[in-house]
Amino acid sequence: ALHAGHAALIAAARQGAASVVATIFVNPRQFGSGDEAARYPRALEADRRLAERAGADLLFVPDVDEIYPPNEPVPNVDPGPLALRLEGASRPGHFAGVATVVSRLFDLVRPQVAYFGAKDAQQVRVVEWLAAQRTDGIAIRRVPTVRDGDGLALSSRNELLSPREIGRAHV
């Protein structure tokens, strides 16, 4: 369920790169319960159109078995203390899931530069830590948060909010 924030990431990459690969993957290792991942918004055809309009040359949409092959154990990448406080304190394992999937995507796509939204500041910090641990020199670029007209940061998860919850988020 891509949105204008994702389009801003692709547009930023388009300004600085000869080729832009956008990835879409709902990572089961980032979710606490099995049904939370299943309920996550998905709109692949709309996502394809948005990515193309924003300037992506290629859309990489792997399935779970491509990221986590059933016959090839993929251990979690532990981001250490970065993952234990703030949002990580209430979502155990979330940032290990983030670090693991980003590492796998880096291995598969082999970018020189990767763009991440500043909205998820702790997540971007985990990704910056991950890139610093690697030997392939991937640069991480932060892109400013995109907000709706009322100031709420855009998120695919916003589709799961009721109007009342959205109203509370604006307070």
Side-chain angles (χ1 to χ4, degrees):
L2 299 183
H3 50 69
H6 296 110
L9 294 171
I10 295 167
R14 175 79 285 148
Q15 289 178 356
S19 298
V20 176
V21 177
T23 61
I24 298 175
F25 181 69
V26 178
N27 181 21
R29 293 194 184 184
Q30 287 177 238
F31 294 92
S33 66
D35 77 321
E36 184 183 0
R39 290 184 311 113
Y40 197 84
R42 291 168 173 82
L44 188 54
E45 286 311 311
D47 293 348
R48 286 182 199 279
R49 290 189 299 273
L50 182 144
E52 184 177 318
R53 282 192 312 271
D57 296 305
L58 179 68
L59 191 59
F60 179 48
V61 187
D63 62 24
V64 172
D65 287 349
E66 192 167 359
I67 299 297
Y68 304 115
N71 297 326
E72 179 187 322
V74 177
N76 274 339
V77 175
D78 180 3
L82 286 172
L84 301 177
R85 54 196 164 101
L86 303 170
E87 186 177 0
S90 62
R91 296 181 74 189
H94 173 74
F95 289 115
V98 168
T100 302
V101 75
V102 170
S103 183
R104 289 289 293 154
L105 291 168
F106 284 174
D107 289 344
L108 293 167
V109 176
R110 312 299 286 171
Q112 294 174 339
V113 181
Y115 293 77
F116 289 83
K119 173 183 70 80
D120 297 320
Q122 188 174 9
Q123 178 170 293
V124 176
R125 185 61 200 107
V126 167
V127 171
E128 289 168 341
W129 169 87
L130 171 69
Q133 307 309 303
R134 296 174 59 95
T135 60
D136 46 9
I138 298 169
I140 305 301
R141 300 284 186 265
R142 290 181 183 220
V143 175
T145 303
V146 176
R147 299 180 181 278
D148 71 15
D150 291 332
L152 181 65
L154 297 183
S155 172
S156 301
R157 291 177 187 266
N158 290 357
E159 290 186 23
L160 301 175
L161 298 175
S162 70
R164 184 174 182 219
E165 291 169 319
I166 289 173
R168 282 190 295 200
H170 284 101
V171 174

